[in-house]
Amino acid sequence: MRDPAPETRPVVLTVAGSDSGGGAGIQADLKTIEACGGFGTSAVTAITAQHTRGVESTHVVPVTEVTAQIDAVCEDVDVDVLKTGMLATEPIVERVAEHAADLDVPAVVDPVLVAASGDRLLDPGAETAYEDLLAAATLATPNADEAEVLTGVEVTDVERAVTAGQALLDTGVDAVLVKGGHVPGDVVRDVLVTPDGTETFTHPRVDTDATHGSGCTLASAIATRLARGDPLTEAVSAGTDLLERAVRYHHDVGKGPGTVHHLAALRERAARTPTREAVEEVVHEFVSADVGRVVPEVGMNVVGATPYAETPGETAAVEGRISRTPSGIAPNRGVRFGASSHVARLLLTAREHDPALRFAVNCRFDEGIEAAFTAIDAPVVEVDRREEPAPDEEGSTMGWVARRAFDRVSGTPAVVYDRGDVGKEAITRVLAPDAETAVSRVHTLADRAE
């Protein structure tokens, strides 16, 4: 018989409505809390019949039953953070405000007033009852529409978000995060307002309507980070980062736009081992076949991105690259995450245009290899590096190379090459959606090169 090995995690109590579609409400909260390393407990305030297209009906749970759920949880476990969502009616808001004041733990209040579909999720008479709840809260997370309902301030930009946040501070809440998802623009700006000042968290807007559950997910992520002991600013930064990935890699489910992927960050970490193993297999294939003909002077690297990769640290590559030796080619060291900078940035930028891309390999360029391009059954694009701008803040121009390549071709290029410039070796870069295709394309160049 084996000894047990129990695990202790911070406990988050979410008080919110149930979403039968699984994308928002209690369901979103519990998924996100678990993904962020917490243990989720819950009190259901309302049962909604909804899906990705809207809310069909709502049944409000009696306030006595909401209280009973909260009491049952708090009498048994030590709650580290309280998070609230849809509270439905004035009596429930008032009762939850009393619990928030008594619990003496951080409270994240997501003032859910209207669903993204436009459906009303709160009794209008309950809006005024939010003042007592906000007075007991550590953080409120209204979107632009909710901030306007609560303050009368129309949020159209960062300055107006600050004004609305400062108005909400007058209720006694410690801090306000005015979310920018509903404010038009190519960049989403979430504005954190505290008595000590403001901070804006910016992320490129993802071109999708699949944002069902985004507010619940963000508030739950922040609440869980607070439960783990993160300072407020760090918790908000981590939460907004998680939401950006959750929206980009959303679930294509239902007949509506879809729902955010609450576990996207967790899935990214889970994908690292198979991604690293795939890169190792590609390297083994190249070494076995001795593709030295296409290894450049600077060395070859093989980069593999997880399906959810957003940074070089989420790509696996050969540390020190692959070099030619008298007896063939060999990797200098092993494969690890974050080992590549330039090739990784090329791949990550290419994924902005085609998220299906997973692998990139840098190879030699010369006239013989150029002749082999005709055997590649996919677009081949030349980029003139004499036109490239100054390096970015990371010291790389690979983002520009990838963007330039996609601008010059319809579809996804399989090969992006340049003829070099002063002090820069001419390079061929192979892009592929999977390891097998990457191996095949590099073998084609090595076998067909004149």
Side-chain angles (χ1 to χ4, degrees):
M1 181 179 295
R2 304 181 70 193
D3 290 335
E7 180 178 328
T8 301
R9 291 189 173 196
V11 175
V12 179
L13 169 58
T14 172
V15 183
S18 170
D19 172 10
S20 56
I26 288 286
Q27 287 82 348
D29 293 344
L30 295 178
K31 293 173 187 177
T32 305
I33 292 165
E34 183 71 21
C36 292
F39 182 83
T41 59
S42 63
V44 180
T45 60
I47 301 169
T48 68
Q50 65 173 298
H51 38 57
T52 58
R53 291 171 291 142
V55 180
E56 298 291 342
S57 65
T58 301
H59 172 73
V60 177
V61 175
V63 67
T64 54
E65 291 303 316
V66 175
T67 300
Q69 293 175 77
I70 295 173
D71 288 343
V73 171
C74 294
E75 289 170 3
D76 185 54
V77 300
D78 293 327
V79 172
D80 295 289
V81 167
L82 171 69
K83 180 265 173 187
T84 72
M86 175 187 177
L87 300 181
T89 66
E90 183 175 359
I92 294 178
V93 174
E94 292 173 342
R95 189 61 57 85
V96 173
E98 294 172 3
H99 283 288
D102 293 340
L103 278 174
D104 195 29
V105 299
V108 176
V109 174
D110 187 22
V112 179
L113 310 180
V114 182
S117 59
D119 296 292
R120 194 83 180 187
L121 297 177
L122 183 70
D123 183 341
E127 292 166 7
T128 56
Y130 256 97
E131 288 198 7
D132 288 340
L133 177 57
L134 291 171
T138 305
L139 176 70
T141 61
N143 60 35
D145 298 329
E146 292 158 348
E148 183 177 357
V149 169
L150 293 170
T151 68
V153 177
E154 182 182 5
V155 177
T156 56
D157 52 29
V158 170
E159 184 178 353
R160 301 282 287 177
V162 171
T163 300
Q166 291 172 336
L168 284 172
L169 287 180
D170 291 339
T171 65
V173 63
D174 294 343
V176 181
L177 180 67
V178 182
K179 298 175 293 190
H182 290 190
V183 179
D186 292 336
V187 176
V188 176
R189 295 178 173 86
D190 301 309
V191 182
L192 178 63
V193 183
T194 73
D196 297 325
T198 64
E199 184 165 352
T200 302
F201 302 84
T202 61
H203 294 86
R205 187 178 299 276
V206 179
D207 186 17
T208 179
D209 292 326
T211 57
H212 183 59
S214 57
C216 308
T217 300
L218 176 57
S220 294
I222 295 172
T224 309
R225 299 296 297 229
L226 291 175
R228 292 171 54 182
D230 285 5
L232 178 62
T233 300
E234 292 181 17
V236 171
S237 178
T240 55
D241 287 348
L242 179 144
L243 182 60
E244 180 189 16
R245 197 192 303 260
V247 172
R248 185 173 188 214
Y249 301 100
H250 59 268
H251 286 295
D252 183 12
V253 61
K255 297 178 181 178
T259 179
V260 302
H261 190 338
H262 320 87
L263 306 184
L266 194 65
R267 298 295 187 211
E268 191 283 320
R269 293 192 290 274
R272 293 190 181 193
T273 295
T275 299
R276 175 179 53 77
E277 291 174 345
V279 172
E280 290 172 340
E281 182 59 29
V282 172
V283 173
H284 175 73
E285 289 278 350
F286 290 166
V287 171
S288 298
D290 190 6
V291 296
R293 172 68 179 85
V294 296
V295 174
E297 293 298 325
V298 296
M300 169 188 280
N301 213 332
V302 178
V303 179
T306 69
Y308 313 94
E310 296 283 294
T311 68
E314 294 163 349
T315 65
V318 180
E319 188 170 13
R321 301 195 175 194
I322 301 169
S323 302
R324 287 180 287 178
T325 73
S327 58
I329 66 169
N332 292 324
R333 288 186 288 280
V335 173
R336 70 170 178 84
F337 276 83
S340 172
S341 175
H342 291 312
V343 181
R345 293 186 188 285
L346 174 89
L347 176 58
L348 291 170
T349 305
R351 281 171 49 80
E352 293 295 321
H353 298 269
D354 184 354
L357 289 172
R358 295 280 309 284
F359 291 84
V361 184
N362 67 311
C363 302
R364 173 189 294 274
F365 174 82
D366 56 34
E367 291 182 355
I369 291 173
E370 184 177 13
F373 290 163
T374 58
I376 300 292
D377 188 22
V380 176
V381 183
E382 179 180 1
V383 172
D384 189 346
R385 294 191 68 185
R386 293 174 299 178
E387 301 173 355
E388 72 183 8
D392 60 21
E393 59 186 16
E394 303 297 334
S396 175
T397 58
M398 290 300 98
W400 176 84
V401 169
R403 288 190 293 272
R404 187 73 165 173
F406 274 87
D407 286 343
R408 300 193 63 184
V409 70
S410 175
T412 298
V415 173
V416 179
Y417 70 97
D418 69 77
R419 300 177 188 275
D421 195 4
V422 177
K424 299 174 183 176
E425 182 182 0
I427 293 292
T428 299
R429 303 165 189 86
V430 173
L431 298 173
D434 52 61
E436 294 76 13
T437 303
V439 169
S440 174
R441 287 174 177 170
V442 172
H443 278 172
T444 297
L445 295 181
D447 294 342
R448 299 291 188 91
E450 296 179 353

